[in-house]
Amino acid sequence: MIGYLKPKVDDLRVYEYKQYRSFYCGVCVELKKHQGELPRLLLSNDVAFFALLLSSLADTTTIETTHRCSLHVYQKKPLRLNDYTKFMAAMNVIFAYGKIQDNLQDDGGMKARTSSLVYHRNYKKICKEYPDEVNYFEEYTRKLHQMESANSTDYISLGKLFGQTLRDMFKQVITVQEDSISKLFDYLGQWVYCIDALDDLEKDEKDQSFNPMLKAYQEDREKFLQEVEQHINSILLEIVYLYTEMEFVDYKGIVFNVLCIAIREKTDAIYKKYKCL
């Protein structure tokens, strides 16, 4: 994952920030327990939020404890552990390894080759423990590479492809409010894909890397920005609507912060970057 799904810290209450960090630390501890030290370096804010999101919607057993790690040797940090933190730790390995393979295919540099070798064992372990989730993600990458090879400009379909992949990968842990939560992951996947492509436009243009938005951006920048803004805004509206329809058991304020404030502000900041050019 990219790391866009994280709260606006200034708008969180102190206890809410501690709760969010406890889930982040919880996923990190699960990575160390099941995968070793190195995969912790690849931990994404996105999967930490997903673990919190699922915990906020289902009445699950969560262990609240403290932990002293190599980054905080003098102070114990609070953490929360449950089935979702364990599951999302595994998903983080899938996403991170997929990103490494994507980088390897794009430039084949020493960093990408080394990372692929280092994390290959972790990925193979996940393949045995979560074969269905791995198959969903590998099918996504196969279709993605096909569209990249064809120089597809259909960023809407590519976003929907990633959204459906998240929906499929997480379906085994969606045990309540199935329809709404599945739709939410679908739209979050669409938003992440599209906002990442928009954010990377200048870099991809400079590096001559694939970006489905690049051709439209180069042909008519103003028209393209209007169209992509309209599309992403429609996704954000669906996310807010789904938030209002859901029933929460805990952490509602943090979820509201991310879904209704933080990703809106992140989107506006990326729009502004191009509108000021």
Side-chain angles (χ1 to χ4, degrees), residues 175-213:
T175 57
V176 296
Q177 305 178 65
E178 289 94 341
D179 185 58
S180 295
I181 300 175
S182 294
K183 287 180 180 177
L184 179 60
F185 279 121
D186 194 335
Y187 283 114
L188 286 173
Q190 292 182 50
W191 179 80
V192 166
Y193 183 89
C194 289
I195 207 65
D196 181 52
L198 183 62
D199 196 16
D200 285 349
L201 267 177
E202 287 182 306
K203 177 181 178 296
D204 290 337
E205 184 176 33
K206 180 180 178 180
D207 297 342
Q208 296 184 331
S209 299
F210 171 78
N211 189 313
M213 297 180 177

mmCIF file of all heavy atoms in Angstrom, residues 175-213:
data_model
loop_
_atom_site.group_PDB
_atom_site.id
_atom_site.type_symbol
_atom_site.label_atom_id
_atom_site.label_comp_id
_atom_site.label_asym_id
_atom_site.label_seq_id
_atom_site.Cartn_x
_atom_site.Cartn_y
_atom_site.Cartn_z
ATOM 1 N N THR A 175 -17.021 -9.803 8.655
ATOM 2 C CA THR A 175 -18.017 -10.707 9.240
ATOM 3 C C THR A 175 -19.312 -10.002 9.646
ATOM 4 O O THR A 175 -20.281 -10.661 9.990
ATOM 5 C CB THR A 175 -17.425 -11.401 10.473
ATOM 6 O OG1 THR A 175 -16.992 -10.408 11.413
ATOM 7 C CG2 THR A 175 -16.237 -12.278 10.094
ATOM 8 N N VAL A 176 -19.330 -8.677 9.623
ATOM 9 C CA VAL A 176 -20.534 -7.912 9.939
ATOM 10 C C VAL A 176 -20.692 -6.814 8.890
ATOM 11 O O VAL A 176 -19.724 -6.422 8.237
ATOM 12 C CB VAL A 176 -20.460 -7.272 11.350
ATOM 13 C CG1 VAL A 176 -20.394 -8.339 12.428
ATOM 14 C CG2 VAL A 176 -19.265 -6.321 11.466
ATOM 15 N N GLN A 177 -21.917 -6.362 8.696
ATOM 16 C CA GLN A 177 -22.186 -5.273 7.754
ATOM 17 C C GLN A 177 -21.448 -5.517 6.424
ATOM 18 O O GLN A 177 -20.802 -4.619 5.869
ATOM 19 C CB GLN A 177 -21.777 -3.924 8.352
ATOM 20 C CG GLN A 177 -22.421 -3.639 9.713
ATOM 21 C CD GLN A 177 -21.973 -2.319 10.311
ATOM 22 O OE1 GLN A 177 -22.255 -1.239 9.758
ATOM 23 N NE2 GLN A 177 -21.276 -2.374 11.444
ATOM 24 N N GLU A 178 -21.531 -6.757 5.953
ATOM 25 C CA GLU A 178 -20.706 -7.194 4.825
ATOM 26 C C GLU A 178 -20.816 -6.309 3.598
ATOM 27 O O GLU A 178 -19.804 -5.939 2.984
ATOM 28 C CB GLU A 178 -21.063 -8.634 4.446
ATOM 29 C CG GLU A 178 -20.620 -9.683 5.441
ATOM 30 C CD GLU A 178 -21.717 -10.021 6.430
ATOM 31 O OE1 GLU A 178 -22.659 -9.208 6.568
ATOM 32 O OE2 GLU A 178 -21.646 -11.099 7.062
ATOM 33 N N ASP A 179 -22.028 -5.950 3.215
ATOM 34 C CA ASP A 179 -22.211 -5.186 1.986
ATOM 35 C C ASP A 179 -21.563 -3.803 2.089
ATOM 36 O O ASP A 179 -20.802 -3.393 1.201
ATOM 37 C CB ASP A 179 -23.706 -5.050 1.674
ATOM 38 C CG ASP A 179 -23.947 -4.369 0.336
ATOM 39 O OD1 ASP A 179 -23.450 -4.892 -0.687
ATOM 40 O OD2 ASP A 179 -24.620 -3.321 0.298
ATOM 41 N N SER A 180 -21.823 -3.110 3.165
ATOM 42 C CA SER A 180 -21.281 -1.754 3.327
ATOM 43 C C SER A 180 -19.769 -1.754 3.450
ATOM 44 O O SER A 180 -19.078 -0.924 2.840
ATOM 45 C CB SER A 180 -21.898 -1.078 4.555
ATOM 46 O OG SER A 180 -23.284 -0.873 4.386
ATOM 47 N N ILE A 181 -19.220 -2.682 4.251
ATOM 48 C CA ILE A 181 -17.769 -2.706 4.449
ATOM 49 C C ILE A 181 -17.061 -3.115 3.162
ATOM 50 O O ILE A 181 -16.016 -2.557 2.806
ATOM 51 C CB ILE A 181 -17.402 -3.650 5.605
ATOM 52 C CG1 ILE A 181 -18.059 -3.174 6.902
ATOM 53 C CG2 ILE A 181 -15.884 -3.704 5.788
ATOM 54 C CD1 ILE A 181 -17.864 -4.109 8.080
ATOM 55 N N SER A 182 -17.619 -4.065 2.445
ATOM 56 C CA SER A 182 -17.025 -4.474 1.169
ATOM 57 C C SER A 182 -17.006 -3.306 0.188
ATOM 58 O O SER A 182 -15.998 -3.066 -0.490
ATOM 59 C CB SER A 182 -17.800 -5.648 0.574
ATOM 60 O OG SER A 182 -17.670 -6.796 1.374
ATOM 61 N N LYS A 183 -18.099 -2.581 0.120
ATOM 62 C CA LYS A 183 -18.145 -1.405 -0.760
ATOM 63 C C LYS A 183 -17.134 -0.348 -0.329
ATOM 64 O O LYS A 183 -16.498 0.308 -1.162
ATOM 65 C CB LYS A 183 -19.552 -0.804 -0.760
ATOM 66 C CG LYS A 183 -20.583 -1.613 -1.532
ATOM 67 C CD LYS A 183 -21.950 -0.948 -1.471
ATOM 68 C CE LYS A 183 -22.986 -1.743 -2.236
ATOM 69 N NZ LYS A 183 -24.346 -1.134 -2.126
ATOM 70 N N LEU A 184 -16.984 -0.180 0.985
ATOM 71 C CA LEU A 184 -16.038 0.810 1.475
ATOM 72 C C LEU A 184 -14.612 0.470 1.050
ATOM 73 O O LEU A 184 -13.877 1.341 0.568
ATOM 74 C CB LEU A 184 -16.115 0.907 3.002
ATOM 75 C CG LEU A 184 -15.139 1.905 3.649
ATOM 76 C CD1 LEU A 184 -15.373 3.327 3.138
ATOM 77 C CD2 LEU A 184 -15.260 1.863 5.169
ATOM 78 N N PHE A 185 -14.212 -0.782 1.200
ATOM 79 C CA PHE A 185 -12.869 -1.172 0.763
ATOM 80 C C PHE A 185 -12.718 -0.993 -0.741
ATOM 81 O O PHE A 185 -11.639 -0.615 -1.226
ATOM 82 C CB PHE A 185 -12.575 -2.620 1.162
ATOM 83 C CG PHE A 185 -12.153 -2.770 2.593
ATOM 84 C CD1 PHE A 185 -12.869 -3.574 3.472
ATOM 85 C CD2 PHE A 185 -11.035 -2.106 3.076
ATOM 86 C CE1 PHE A 185 -12.473 -3.719 4.794
ATOM 87 C CE2 PHE A 185 -10.633 -2.235 4.404
ATOM 88 C CZ PHE A 185 -11.353 -3.036 5.259
ATOM 89 N N ASP A 186 -13.760 -1.259 -1.471
ATOM 90 C CA ASP A 186 -13.741 -1.062 -2.922
ATOM 91 C C ASP A 186 -13.457 0.404 -3.251
ATOM 92 O O ASP A 186 -12.541 0.723 -4.031
ATOM 93 C CB ASP A 186 -15.092 -1.491 -3.509
ATOM 94 C CG ASP A 186 -15.052 -1.634 -5.027
ATOM 95 O OD1 ASP A 186 -14.216 -0.988 -5.673
ATOM 96 O OD2 ASP A 186 -15.879 -2.391 -5.566
ATOM 97 N N TYR A 187 -14.197 1.320 -2.653
ATOM 98 C CA TYR A 187 -14.003 2.742 -2.945
ATOM 99 C C TYR A 187 -12.669 3.259 -2.405
ATOM 100 O O TYR A 187 -12.026 4.118 -3.033
ATOM 101 C CB TYR A 187 -15.152 3.562 -2.374
ATOM 102 C CG TYR A 187 -16.410 3.476 -3.212
ATOM 103 C CD1 TYR A 187 -17.574 2.871 -2.716
ATOM 104 C CD2 TYR A 187 -16.443 3.983 -4.508
ATOM 105 C CE1 TYR A 187 -18.713 2.774 -3.491
ATOM 106 C CE2 TYR A 187 -17.587 3.888 -5.287
ATOM 107 C CZ TYR A 187 -18.719 3.285 -4.776
ATOM 108 O OH TYR A 187 -19.854 3.189 -5.550
ATOM 109 N N LEU A 188 -12.234 2.749 -1.257
ATOM 110 C CA LEU A 188 -10.926 3.151 -0.740
ATOM 111 C C LEU A 188 -9.816 2.714 -1.696
ATOM 112 O O LEU A 188 -8.854 3.456 -1.928
ATOM 113 C CB LEU A 188 -10.689 2.560 0.651
ATOM 114 C CG LEU A 188 -11.477 3.202 1.789
ATOM 115 C CD1 LEU A 188 -11.288 2.406 3.087
ATOM 116 C CD2 LEU A 188 -11.062 4.658 2.004
ATOM 117 N N GLY A 189 -9.944 1.522 -2.259
ATOM 118 C CA GLY A 189 -8.969 1.061 -3.239
ATOM 119 C C GLY A 189 -8.959 1.933 -4.477
ATOM 120 O O GLY A 189 -7.887 2.276 -5.013
ATOM 121 N N GLN A 190 -10.149 2.332 -4.941
ATOM 122 C CA GLN A 190 -10.226 3.223 -6.096
ATOM 123 C C GLN A 190 -9.569 4.565 -5.802
ATOM 124 O O GLN A 190 -8.832 5.113 -6.635
ATOM 125 C CB GLN A 190 -11.688 3.438 -6.486
ATOM 126 C CG GLN A 190 -12.376 2.208 -7.050
ATOM 127 C CD GLN A 190 -13.808 2.496 -7.471
ATOM 128 O OE1 GLN A 190 -14.069 3.461 -8.190
ATOM 129 N NE2 GLN A 190 -14.737 1.665 -7.028
ATOM 130 N N TRP A 191 -9.831 5.088 -4.613
ATOM 131 C CA TRP A 191 -9.246 6.381 -4.246
ATOM 132 C C TRP A 191 -7.725 6.286 -4.160
ATOM 133 O O TRP A 191 -7.019 7.148 -4.698
ATOM 134 C CB TRP A 191 -9.809 6.868 -2.908
ATOM 135 C CG TRP A 191 -9.207 8.178 -2.479
ATOM 136 C CD1 TRP A 191 -9.556 9.419 -2.922
ATOM 137 C CD2 TRP A 191 -8.128 8.371 -1.552
ATOM 138 N NE1 TRP A 191 -8.768 10.385 -2.323
ATOM 139 C CE2 TRP A 191 -7.875 9.760 -1.476
ATOM 140 C CE3 TRP A 191 -7.367 7.498 -0.776
ATOM 141 C CZ2 TRP A 191 -6.890 10.303 -0.661
ATOM 142 C CZ3 TRP A 191 -6.378 8.032 0.040
ATOM 143 C CH2 TRP A 191 -6.148 9.416 0.095
ATOM 144 N N VAL A 192 -7.226 5.257 -3.497
ATOM 145 C CA VAL A 192 -5.775 5.103 -3.347
ATOM 146 C C VAL A 192 -5.100 5.017 -4.711
ATOM 147 O O VAL A 192 -4.083 5.682 -4.959
ATOM 148 C CB VAL A 192 -5.442 3.855 -2.505
ATOM 149 C CG1 VAL A 192 -3.960 3.496 -2.619
ATOM 150 C CG2 VAL A 192 -5.801 4.088 -1.041
ATOM 151 N N TYR A 193 -5.656 4.219 -5.619
ATOM 152 C CA TYR A 193 -5.034 4.072 -6.932
ATOM 153 C C TYR A 193 -5.022 5.404 -7.682
ATOM 154 O O TYR A 193 -3.986 5.822 -8.218
ATOM 155 C CB TYR A 193 -5.751 3.023 -7.782
ATOM 156 C CG TYR A 193 -5.054 2.826 -9.113
ATOM 157 C CD1 TYR A 193 -4.039 1.888 -9.242
ATOM 158 C CD2 TYR A 193 -5.371 3.619 -10.212
ATOM 159 C CE1 TYR A 193 -3.358 1.741 -10.436
ATOM 160 C CE2 TYR A 193 -4.689 3.484 -11.415
ATOM 161 C CZ TYR A 193 -3.686 2.546 -11.521
ATOM 162 O OH TYR A 193 -2.994 2.416 -12.705
ATOM 163 N N CYS A 194 -6.171 6.075 -7.719
ATOM 164 C CA CYS A 194 -6.274 7.306 -8.507
ATOM 165 C C CYS A 194 -5.458 8.445 -7.903
ATOM 166 O O CYS A 194 -4.800 9.198 -8.631
ATOM 167 C CB CYS A 194 -7.744 7.719 -8.644
ATOM 168 S SG CYS A 194 -8.698 6.645 -9.735
ATOM 169 N N ILE A 195 -5.464 8.588 -6.584
ATOM 170 C CA ILE A 195 -4.737 9.693 -5.975
ATOM 171 C C ILE A 195 -3.237 9.450 -6.074
ATOM 172 O O ILE A 195 -2.446 10.403 -6.211
ATOM 173 C CB ILE A 195 -5.191 9.916 -4.511
ATOM 174 C CG1 ILE A 195 -4.983 11.381 -4.110
ATOM 175 C CG2 ILE A 195 -4.478 9.005 -3.551
ATOM 176 C CD1 ILE A 195 -5.832 12.371 -4.860
ATOM 177 N N ASP A 196 -2.814 8.195 -6.048
ATOM 178 C CA ASP A 196 -1.393 7.887 -6.222
ATOM 179 C C ASP A 196 -0.946 8.196 -7.649
ATOM 180 O O ASP A 196 0.134 8.760 -7.861
ATOM 181 C CB ASP A 196 -1.138 6.418 -5.884
ATOM 182 C CG ASP A 196 0.323 6.050 -6.030
ATOM 183 O OD1 ASP A 196 1.174 6.745 -5.446
ATOM 184 O OD2 ASP A 196 0.626 5.062 -6.730
ATOM 185 N N ALA A 197 -1.769 7.835 -8.633
ATOM 186 C CA ALA A 197 -1.436 8.133 -10.025
ATOM 187 C C ALA A 197 -1.367 9.641 -10.245
ATOM 188 O O ALA A 197 -0.466 10.147 -10.931
ATOM 189 C CB ALA A 197 -2.464 7.498 -10.954
ATOM 190 N N LEU A 198 -2.307 10.379 -9.662
ATOM 191 C CA LEU A 198 -2.312 11.836 -9.795
ATOM 192 C C LEU A 198 -1.091 12.446 -9.109
ATOM 193 O O LEU A 198 -0.437 13.342 -9.659
ATOM 194 C CB LEU A 198 -3.594 12.406 -9.196
ATOM 195 C CG LEU A 198 -3.794 13.923 -9.307
ATOM 196 C CD1 LEU A 198 -3.870 14.363 -10.768
ATOM 197 C CD2 LEU A 198 -5.064 14.347 -8.555
ATOM 198 N N ASP A 199 -0.776 11.962 -7.942
ATOM 199 C CA ASP A 199 0.356 12.486 -7.182
ATOM 200 C C ASP A 199 1.670 12.270 -7.920
ATOM 201 O O ASP A 199 2.597 13.093 -7.821
ATOM 202 C CB ASP A 199 0.396 11.790 -5.815
ATOM 203 C CG ASP A 199 1.268 12.527 -4.810
ATOM 204 O OD1 ASP A 199 1.599 13.709 -5.040
ATOM 205 O OD2 ASP A 199 1.592 11.920 -3.775
ATOM 206 N N ASP A 200 1.774 11.174 -8.674
ATOM 207 C CA ASP A 200 3.033 10.800 -9.329
ATOM 208 C C ASP A 200 3.160 11.318 -10.761
ATOM 209 O O ASP A 200 4.139 10.979 -11.449
ATOM 210 C CB ASP A 200 3.169 9.270 -9.348
ATOM 211 C CG ASP A 200 3.529 8.711 -7.982
ATOM 212 O OD1 ASP A 200 3.873 9.500 -7.090
ATOM 213 O OD2 ASP A 200 3.448 7.487 -7.817
ATOM 214 N N LEU A 201 2.223 12.106 -11.233
ATOM 215 C CA LEU A 201 2.241 12.524 -12.637
ATOM 216 C C LEU A 201 3.559 13.166 -13.059
ATOM 217 O O LEU A 201 4.164 12.775 -14.068
ATOM 218 C CB LEU A 201 1.088 13.500 -12.900
ATOM 219 C CG LEU A 201 -0.222 12.901 -13.398
ATOM 220 C CD1 LEU A 201 -1.280 13.982 -13.536
ATOM 221 C CD2 LEU A 201 -0.008 12.207 -14.744
ATOM 222 N N GLU A 202 4.011 14.162 -12.309
ATOM 223 C CA GLU A 202 5.248 14.862 -12.690
ATOM 224 C C GLU A 202 6.444 13.921 -12.684
ATOM 225 O O GLU A 202 7.272 13.947 -13.598
ATOM 226 C CB GLU A 202 5.486 16.033 -11.736
ATOM 227 C CG GLU A 202 4.546 17.210 -11.943
ATOM 228 C CD GLU A 202 4.859 18.352 -10.993
ATOM 229 O OE1 GLU A 202 4.893 18.101 -9.768
ATOM 230 O OE2 GLU A 202 5.088 19.471 -11.471
ATOM 231 N N LYS A 203 6.545 13.095 -11.644
ATOM 232 C CA LYS A 203 7.651 12.156 -11.536
ATOM 233 C C LYS A 203 7.622 11.143 -12.676
ATOM 234 O O LYS A 203 8.655 10.849 -13.302
ATOM 235 C CB LYS A 203 7.581 11.436 -10.198
ATOM 236 C CG LYS A 203 8.639 10.359 -9.988
ATOM 237 C CD LYS A 203 8.471 9.699 -8.636
ATOM 238 C CE LYS A 203 9.507 8.591 -8.432
ATOM 239 N NZ LYS A 203 9.315 7.487 -9.406
ATOM 240 N N ASP A 204 6.433 10.603 -12.976
ATOM 241 C CA ASP A 204 6.326 9.609 -14.035
ATOM 242 C C ASP A 204 6.602 10.221 -15.409
ATOM 243 O O ASP A 204 7.169 9.559 -16.289
ATOM 244 C CB ASP A 204 4.930 8.969 -14.014
ATOM 245 C CG ASP A 204 4.730 8.077 -12.795
ATOM 246 O OD1 ASP A 204 5.727 7.624 -12.233
ATOM 247 O OD2 ASP A 204 3.568 7.854 -12.410
ATOM 248 N N GLU A 205 6.206 11.474 -15.591
ATOM 249 C CA GLU A 205 6.505 12.159 -16.854
ATOM 250 C C GLU A 205 8.013 12.330 -17.015
ATOM 251 O O GLU A 205 8.564 12.089 -18.091
ATOM 252 C CB GLU A 205 5.819 13.519 -16.889
ATOM 253 C CG GLU A 205 5.997 14.262 -18.207
ATOM 254 C CD GLU A 205 5.214 15.563 -18.251
ATOM 255 O OE1 GLU A 205 5.073 16.191 -17.177
ATOM 256 O OE2 GLU A 205 4.748 15.958 -19.335
ATOM 257 N N LYS A 206 8.674 12.712 -15.964
ATOM 258 C CA LYS A 206 10.128 12.897 -15.991
ATOM 259 C C LYS A 206 10.855 11.581 -16.209
ATOM 260 O O LYS A 206 11.818 11.503 -16.984
ATOM 261 C CB LYS A 206 10.585 13.540 -14.683
ATOM 262 C CG LYS A 206 12.085 13.787 -14.610
ATOM 263 C CD LYS A 206 12.462 14.422 -13.284
ATOM 264 C CE LYS A 206 13.960 14.637 -13.182
ATOM 265 N NZ LYS A 206 14.355 15.249 -11.881
ATOM 266 N N ASP A 207 10.400 10.523 -15.528
ATOM 267 C CA ASP A 207 11.061 9.213 -15.607
ATOM 268 C C ASP A 207 10.595 8.385 -16.793
ATOM 269 O O ASP A 207 11.105 7.278 -17.014
ATOM 270 C CB ASP A 207 10.810 8.418 -14.321
ATOM 271 C CG ASP A 207 11.393 9.089 -13.094
ATOM 272 O OD1 ASP A 207 12.260 9.969 -13.249
ATOM 273 O OD2 ASP A 207 10.957 8.747 -11.972
ATOM 274 N N GLN A 208 9.594 8.894 -17.508
ATOM 275 C CA GLN A 208 8.986 8.160 -18.625
ATOM 276 C C GLN A 208 8.446 6.807 -18.154
ATOM 277 O O GLN A 208 8.582 5.789 -18.826
ATOM 278 C CB GLN A 208 9.990 7.976 -19.771
ATOM 279 C CG GLN A 208 10.422 9.292 -20.410
ATOM 280 C CD GLN A 208 11.334 9.091 -21.603
ATOM 281 O OE1 GLN A 208 12.070 8.117 -21.693
ATOM 282 N NE2 GLN A 208 11.268 10.012 -22.555
ATOM 283 N N SER A 209 7.811 6.838 -16.997
ATOM 284 C CA SER A 209 7.201 5.638 -16.431
ATOM 285 C C SER A 209 5.723 5.590 -16.789
ATOM 286 O O SER A 209 5.105 6.622 -17.090
ATOM 287 C CB SER A 209 7.356 5.637 -14.902
ATOM 288 O OG SER A 209 8.718 5.640 -14.540
ATOM 289 N N PHE A 210 5.139 4.403 -16.686
ATOM 290 C CA PHE A 210 3.719 4.263 -17.005
ATOM 291 C C PHE A 210 2.858 4.998 -15.986
ATOM 292 O O PHE A 210 3.064 4.912 -14.780
ATOM 293 C CB PHE A 210 3.312 2.789 -17.005
ATOM 294 C CG PHE A 210 1.827 2.577 -17.103
ATOM 295 C CD1 PHE A 210 1.175 2.698 -18.314
ATOM 296 C CD2 PHE A 210 1.079 2.273 -15.971
ATOM 297 C CE1 PHE A 210 -0.195 2.517 -18.407
ATOM 298 C CE2 PHE A 210 -0.296 2.081 -16.054
ATOM 299 C CZ PHE A 210 -0.926 2.203 -17.275
ATOM 300 N N ASN A 211 1.898 5.748 -16.504
ATOM 301 C CA ASN A 211 0.872 6.377 -15.682
ATOM 302 C C ASN A 211 -0.351 6.565 -16.572
ATOM 303 O O ASN A 211 -0.269 7.265 -17.581
ATOM 304 C CB ASN A 211 1.351 7.732 -15.143
ATOM 305 C CG ASN A 211 0.400 8.323 -14.111
ATOM 306 O OD1 ASN A 211 -0.808 8.360 -14.305
ATOM 307 N ND2 ASN A 211 0.950 8.791 -12.998
ATOM 308 N N PRO A 212 -1.481 5.943 -16.219
ATOM 309 C CA PRO A 212 -2.654 6.003 -17.099
ATOM 310 C C PRO A 212 -3.219 7.406 -17.274
ATOM 311 O O PRO A 212 -4.009 7.646 -18.194
ATOM 312 C CB PRO A 212 -3.657 5.079 -16.403
ATOM 313 C CG PRO A 212 -3.258 5.116 -14.967
ATOM 314 C CD PRO A 212 -1.761 5.193 -14.984
ATOM 315 N N MET A 213 -2.831 8.337 -16.418
ATOM 316 C CA MET A 213 -3.336 9.700 -16.507
ATOM 317 C C MET A 213 -2.451 10.603 -17.369
ATOM 318 O O MET A 213 -2.851 11.716 -17.708
ATOM 319 C CB MET A 213 -3.446 10.317 -15.106
ATOM 320 C CG MET A 213 -4.428 9.633 -14.187
ATOM 321 S SD MET A 213 -4.468 10.436 -12.560
ATOM 322 C CE MET A 213 -5.757 9.497 -11.743
#
